[in-house]
Amino acid sequence: MCDKSCNSNGKQLCLDSTNYCLPNENSKDLESLAYDDQHVKSNTSFLHAVINMIGMLIGLGQLSTPYALENGGWMSSIILVGLGIMCAYTSHLLGKCLQKNPKSKDYKDIGHQAFGTKGRIIVTCFIYLEIFMALISYTISLHDNLSIVFLNTNLKLLFHLSTSQILTTIAILIAIPSLWLRDFSSISFLSSGGIFMSLLIFVTVACTAIFGGIKADHQIPFLHLQNIPSISGLYIFSYAGHIVFPNIYTAMKDPSNFTKVSIVSFSLVTTLYVSLGFMGAKLFGPQVSSQITLSMPHDQIITKIALWATILTPMTKYALEFAPFAIELEENLPSSMKSKVKMIIRGIVGSILLLVILILALSVPYFEHVLSLTGSLVGVGICVIFPCAFYIKVFWGEISRMSLILNVVLIVIGGLLGVVGTISSSKLLARSLKRAHHST
């Protein structure tokens, strides 16, 4: 799934089945991890680029699509499709910015190209915040599904932890060694496993609809306007992946096909999301869980497969999501420091961060609210607002009036979705925490 390809002044690693190019600055200790650009060429085919982009898009968001559709009403599917079209367009804009300045290789470079050092800093903060919040969501999902798989298991240890909390802690401890990996071919293998698990979840839900003995006869409400702000964050999160799209562009044999790659990828993913959303909502109705796997009949083998696929998906994500931060951490350490010492430092920092994520996930076990907050607070900026702002700034003086109006409108729409979604999901999260506090 990984191409050994990176243009210009860059080092390459595979991130979530794509090429993640790193700057050469102070990167002598990365020689064993990367490929020198004078020995390799961008050689990703059109099909491979589509697979990479789909792999980035399909993930945790698909689990909540039936819940979002049921709570928003079937008319909210227009928002899901509309956001898919918007995000495909903003993906195209990122490609245009890269075409304008071939020296830009990743999302942060485009931010620097458009708004200088401040732009790079702001974009970097958003990227790491999205990664951090996404990992909390993955860990909550891990906890929820483990509690169903080991429903009748009873473990008693210190600290008054429940069985599901103990099992989640064990799973995190198992995942921690992956953060010490410096062999990115191994990390890429984990990425491929994550893509397979995501597709397996969709297949198992479809099999439940066809062979599970459950009648898909629930009526989906027309529209619940009051729920739109919170579910819009869930829909936005489903299309998160823009931070790696520039790396897909730079790895392509023919970058001029990048727009076609975006159209094909987003069309297929949007079709999958809409199909899964209607399928889950029709199957389980108002009882549908925020994660579709938790609603499936617990006694069926197909459900056990889906649950284990959902459990293994986060396990494949931790090293992948931590990789960009780990590389940047190593680059900022003194060049005189030995490679082994750097590896130990990054491993310790990664382990501490993952344990912090574990504590937060167990303290805030509300998957749909955290996922919605992630989409509304940071996802909409990375997927919609920033690409439009980059394009306007980079092409200022060349952009047509209609194009300018379109991008400004998208920024306004993205801003409104972000603000109302953040407020709504924050209130719901606070309310859930307050309710949990009173119940204890």
Side-chain angles (χ1 to χ4, degrees):
M1 296 294 292
C2 179
D3 297 316
K4 300 177 180 179
S5 52
C6 191
N7 291 342
S8 189
N9 301 321
K11 303 296 181 179
Q12 184 265 358
L13 69 86
C14 288
L15 175 61
D16 223 15
S17 301
T18 62
N19 303 295
Y20 189 87
C21 298
L22 302 166
N24 265 335
E25 301 168 341
N26 303 320
S27 59
K28 292 180 181 179
D29 293 306
L30 295 176
E31 291 294 337
S32 60
L33 305 179
Y35 295 90
D36 200 326
D37 64 321
Q38 59 186 313
H39 297 299
V40 295
K41 295 179 180 179
S42 297
N43 57 5
T44 302
S45 66
F46 178 88
L47 179 60
H48 197 167
V50 169
I51 292 171
N52 284 341
M53 188 171 285
I54 290 174
M56 271 306 302
L57 292 170
I58 295 178
L60 204 61
Q62 69 174 347
L63 297 177
S64 63
T65 309
Y67 170 87
L69 191 67
E70 168 64 29
N71 281 270
W74 66 262
M75 273 291 289
S76 72
S77 62
I78 295 175
I79 298 175
L80 179 60
V81 174
L83 283 169
I85 294 170
M86 286 169 59
C87 289
Y89 172 71
T90 55
S91 173
H92 157 74
L93 295 183
L94 292 176
K96 296 288 286 183
C97 291
L98 289 166
Q99 186 179 20
K100 179 77 171 179
N101 184 6
K103 290 183 179 180
S104 296
K105 299 301 171 188
D106 59 24
Y107 198 96
K108 289 181 285 185
D109 286 346
I110 301 174
H112 188 272
Q113 173 190 351
F115 297 104
T117 304
K118 289 182 180 179
R120 176 180 285 272
I121 292 171
I122 292 172
V123 165
T124 301
C125 290
F126 267 74
I127 288 173
Y128 289 142
L129 183 59
E130 182 183 56
I131 290 171
F132 186 76
M133 293 181 73
L135 286 176
I136 293 175
S137 300
Y138 276 117
T139 309
I140 295 172
S141 174
L142 179 66
H143 168 266
D144 292 345
N145 285 274
L146 277 170
S147 64
I148 299 298
V149 170
F150 295 96
L151 189 61
N152 298 318
T153 304
N154 190 15
L155 299 177
K156 292 293 182 182
L157 289 176
L158 298 175
F159 310 117
H160 306 288
L161 294 176
S162 66
T163 298
S164 58
Q165 290 174 330
I166 293 169
L167 290 169
T168 307
T169 303
I170 293 171
I172 292 296
L173 292 175
I174 292 171
I176 279 178
S178 68
L179 302 182
W180 293 66
L181 287 174
R182 297 182 89 244
D183 176 9
F184 288 103
S185 61
S186 299
I187 294 178
S188 179
F189 174 75
L190 291 175
S191 171
S192 301
I195 297 169
F196 174 75
M197 295 300 168
S198 296
L199 293 175
L200 184 60
I201 291 167
F202 177 79
V203 171
T204 54
V205 174
C207 288
T208 300
I210 299 170
F211 308 112
I214 301 174
K215 292 183 179 180
D217 56 0
H218 287 90
Q219 289 293 114
I220 304 174
F222 176 71
L223 181 66
H224 286 154
L225 196 59
Q226 70 276 14
N227 293 334
I228 295 301
S230 59
I231 68 162
S232 64
L234 296 175
Y235 286 153
I236 291 166
F237 186 90
S238 299
Y239 293 112
H242 285 60
I243 59 175
V244 183
F245 291 172
N247 308 114
I248 296 176
Y249 176 96
T250 56
M252 290 183 65
K253 281 181 187 176
D254 185 4
S256 65
N257 285 325
F258 181 75
T259 297
K260 293 179 182 178
V261 169
S262 298
I263 292 171
V264 171
S265 300
F266 275 92
S267 297
L268 292 173
V269 169
T270 301
T271 301
L272 182 145
Y273 285 156
V274 173
S275 302
L276 185 61
F278 275 98
M279 196 188 316
K282 290 290 287 182
L283 278 171
F284 305 111
Q287 284 72 46
V288 67
S289 172
S290 59
Q291 299 176 68
I292 185 63
T293 50
L294 303 181
S295 296
M296 296 166 67
H298 298 165
D299 58 340
Q300 294 188 6
I301 184 65
I302 201 73
T303 302
K304 297 185 188 301
I305 293 172
L307 289 169
W308 275 109
T310 311
I311 289 168
L312 292 174
T313 297
M315 303 289 285
T316 67
K317 294 289 185 180
Y318 291 121
L320 286 162
E321 297 283 0
F322 181 67
F325 175 78
I327 293 300
E328 197 153 321
L329 174 65
E330 283 199 24
E331 282 191 323
N332 288 312
L333 292 173
S335 57
S336 58
M337 191 176 288
K338 291 183 179 179
S339 180
K340 281 188 176 180
V341 177
K342 289 186 176 182
M343 183 189 73
I344 291 171
I345 291 174
R346 65 171 279 186
I348 291 173
V349 171
S351 302
I352 292 172
L353 282 175
L354 196 52
L355 291 174
V356 170
I357 287 167
L358 170 65
I359 293 169
L360 288 172
L362 295 181
S363 303
V364 191
Y366 304 105
F367 177 81
E368 67 276 22
H369 302 327
V370 175
L371 206 67
S372 177
L373 182 61
T374 305
S376 298
L377 183 63
V378 290
V380 71
I382 291 173
C383 296
V384 179
I385 298 173
F386 288 166
C388 292
F390 295 161
Y391 181 72
I392 291 172
K393 186 66 168 63
V394 170
F395 286 89
W396 187 258
E398 303 175 37
I399 190 171
S400 68
R401 178 176 293 183
M402 286 301 298
S403 184
L404 177 62
I405 292 172
L406 172 62
N407 284 279
V408 170
V409 168
L410 291 181
I411 290 173
V412 171
I413 292 173
L416 287 173
L417 287 175
V419 171
V420 298
T422 298
I423 293 172
S424 176
S425 52
S426 297
K427 284 182 177 179
L428 290 170
L429 182 58
R431 196 177 302 159
S432 297
L433 288 170
K434 188 176 181 180
R435 193 182 301 120
H437 176 73
H438 286 314
S439 64
T440 55

